[in-house]
Amino acid sequence: QKYTLKIRTLDSICKKNEINLVGIFTDRGAKKELIFQFKQKYNLQIATLIDKKLKLAKALKASTTPEVFLINSRIGSIAYRGLIDDWF
């Protein structure tokens, strides 16, 4: 919730630069309808995925929440990995 304004700003920047922003929910209790309601409430237009079994998180070696990965899909490499900012 605390990052929704920042995420909307980043999404706007990403769209202008033809970059896809995807939110990944790793909470075992995550449900599509609750995520939809969350996105509606906070006006988030980003794509979202649920990673309950943590397959993607483990593959990326995610270590904190929230954590950002900028992945170059053309060459399959991680261009950036880290925090959104130094707030948390």
Side-chain angles (χ1 to χ4, degrees), residues 12-28:
S12 176
I13 294 166
C14 287
K15 283 180 180 170
K16 289 177 187 174
N17 291 285
E18 298 181 10
I19 298 170
N20 295 318
L21 181 64
V22 179
I24 310 295
F25 287 80
T26 57
D27 182 357
R28 293 185 192 273

Side-chain angles (χ1 to χ4, degrees), residues 3-60:
Y3 268 107
T4 54
L5 176 60
K6 177 78 76 170
I7 290 169
R8 285 196 309 270
T9 302
L10 288 172
D11 187 41
S12 176
I13 294 166
C14 287
K15 283 180 180 170
K16 289 177 187 174
N17 291 285
E18 298 181 10
I19 298 170
N20 295 318
L21 181 64
V22 179
I24 310 295
F25 287 80
T26 57
D27 182 357
R28 293 185 192 273
K31 295 183 178 162
K32 288 181 183 181
E33 53 276 357
L34 294 176
I35 293 170
F36 177 79
Q37 290 171 5
F38 178 83
K39 288 170 60 175
Q40 289 273 345
K41 182 176 181 178
Y42 294 102
N43 192 28
L44 294 174
Q45 304 298 315
I46 66 170
T48 53
L49 298 172
I50 299 174
D51 185 24
K52 288 183 184 182
K53 294 184 180 180
L54 304 176
K55 289 182 179 183
L56 182 58
K58 288 177 183 176
L60 293 172

